Amino acid sequence: MTATATRAKPLIGLTGRRFRMELISGSHPGYGHRLTDSFMSDFAERIARAGGVPVMLPYDADPEALCDWLSGVLITGGQDMHPSCWGGDESVVRDIDPLSDPSVHHPARDAFEIALTRAALDREIPLLGVCRGMQVLNVTLGGTLIPDLPAGPVRHLMSTGPLSDGGPDHVVTFDTGTIAQKVFGDRLVTNSWHHQAVDVCGKGLVVTGRTDDGVAESIEFPGAAVLGVQWHPEWMESDDGALRWLVEAAAEKRGISPCPPRTRATA
């Protein structure tokens, strides 16, 4: 391997949403029916800070071809997966165009992220699934979901906005010797914005972190650089290390040394 290659930064592909421009306040009405792709820039900022190069992945890209280039894959959060993907109740599906309402089921996104997840697993490319992304990982391997968590002692759908470390009731405890425990420690207070959760694990996956009510908050594939977390690390005020783990695992897989983490500029 050349000296130049050893100094390369790992490319981290991240998924996002697709919707019509008419949903963007202030956009020119002439563009209303054109489509745009978006992702939460908080992911990109933290990936770059950890020494990686964030790359937005449109649904049109061939997942197999992407995995020829990517060093790591990040499946991000968003709307529920279509229940047909995991044998759920399809009567809950609303007949609404997902391109005009990004909160409803979007089969095109499901298909792309499942194919990308499968390709990354087959190529042994480090993968992180966040919230919906954790559920995509589980469903890709044949797992099922809890369609709607009942009310209980732990609140999983927070009322506060982004950039929050969560409330004291949302404590996740991790199993010893797992990736999650090595990254997050024995216990971690996290934010939480989900109403669905992993039910039966997909083939090869295990639950490695739970809240006190038993809800799965992290899953992984023993022996592989594969991790799913149900909270949003991109919005944790205190960096929980999830995105840094992905960048470091991606660099190790490619045999490269990522640049030192980027520090914020000060005034």
Side-chain angles (χ1 to χ4, degrees):
M1 184 173 292
T2 66
T4 300
T6 60
R7 291 197 299 270
K9 293 184 178 182
L11 293 178
I12 309 298
L14 59 151
T15 63
R17 305 191 192 212
R18 175 169 289 180
F19 52 85
R20 298 192 190 284
M21 289 285 289
E22 64 190 4
L23 298 180
I24 300 177
S25 177
S27 63
H28 191 284
Y31 302 148
H33 288 285
R34 306 312 300 171
L35 303 181
T36 187
D37 292 327
S38 73
F39 64 94
M40 295 295 178
S41 57
D42 305 89
F43 279 120
E45 193 277 334
R46 297 206 181 196
I47 288 170
R49 195 196 313 171
V53 178
V55 181
M56 171 66 183
L57 306 179
Y59 306 159
D60 316 88
D62 177 356
E64 291 289 345
L66 286 173
C67 288
D68 289 337
W69 296 94
L70 295 175
S71 304
V73 168
L74 172 59
I75 309 295
T76 64
Q79 65 269 69
D80 296 344
M81 296 187 73
H82 196 286
S84 65
C85 296
W86 53 275
D89 180 8
E90 295 188 45
S91 68
V92 302
V93 177
R94 294 183 291 164
D95 187 19
I96 300 174
D97 179 9
L99 297 173
S100 296
D101 184 348
S103 68
V104 302
H105 303 93
H106 194 172
R109 180 179 184 183
D110 294 337
F112 173 70
E113 291 185 338
I114 289 172
L116 178 61
T117 298
R118 193 176 302 282
L121 292 173
D122 289 345
R123 303 283 193 94
E124 298 183 347
I125 295 173
L127 182 143
L128 173 65
V130 169
C131 199
R132 166 195 159 91
M134 170 169 151
Q135 297 166 12
V136 171
L137 169 61
N138 190 55
V139 168
T140 299
L141 290 172
T144 60
L145 305 177
I146 298 171
D148 199 25
L149 288 168
V154 178
R155 185 171 57 182
H156 292 282
L157 196 58
M158 292 174 53
S159 58
T160 58
L163 280 182
S164 170
D165 284 351
D169 66 321
H170 201 273
V171 179
V172 184
T173 303
F174 303 102
D175 293 345
T176 302
T178 60
I179 293 175
Q181 191 258 345
K182 292 174 183 175
V183 174
F184 309 118
D186 296 333
R187 292 161 62 85
L188 181 69
V189 175
T190 74
N191 56 36
S192 185
W193 286 283
H194 67 105
H195 77 104
Q196 296 191 330
V198 165
D199 185 11
V200 177
C201 275
K203 185 177 180 180
L205 292 170
V206 295
V207 176
T208 58
R210 296 183 185 270
T211 39
D212 289 344
D213 57 357
V215 171
E217 292 283 339
S218 69
I219 58 174
E220 52 194 79
F221 202 119
V226 175
L227 176 66
V229 298
Q230 194 58 66
W231 66 93
H232 285 264
E234 78 278 17
W235 290 336
M236 291 284 286
E237 287 187 283
S238 303
D239 186 352
D240 65 0
L243 296 169
R244 190 168 61 252
W245 166 81
L246 178 60
V247 171
E248 291 173 354
E252 182 178 357
K253 171 66 177 178
R254 292 292 187 183
I256 59 181
S257 300
C259 296
R262 192 178 70 193
T263 58
R264 295 177 181 270
T266 57

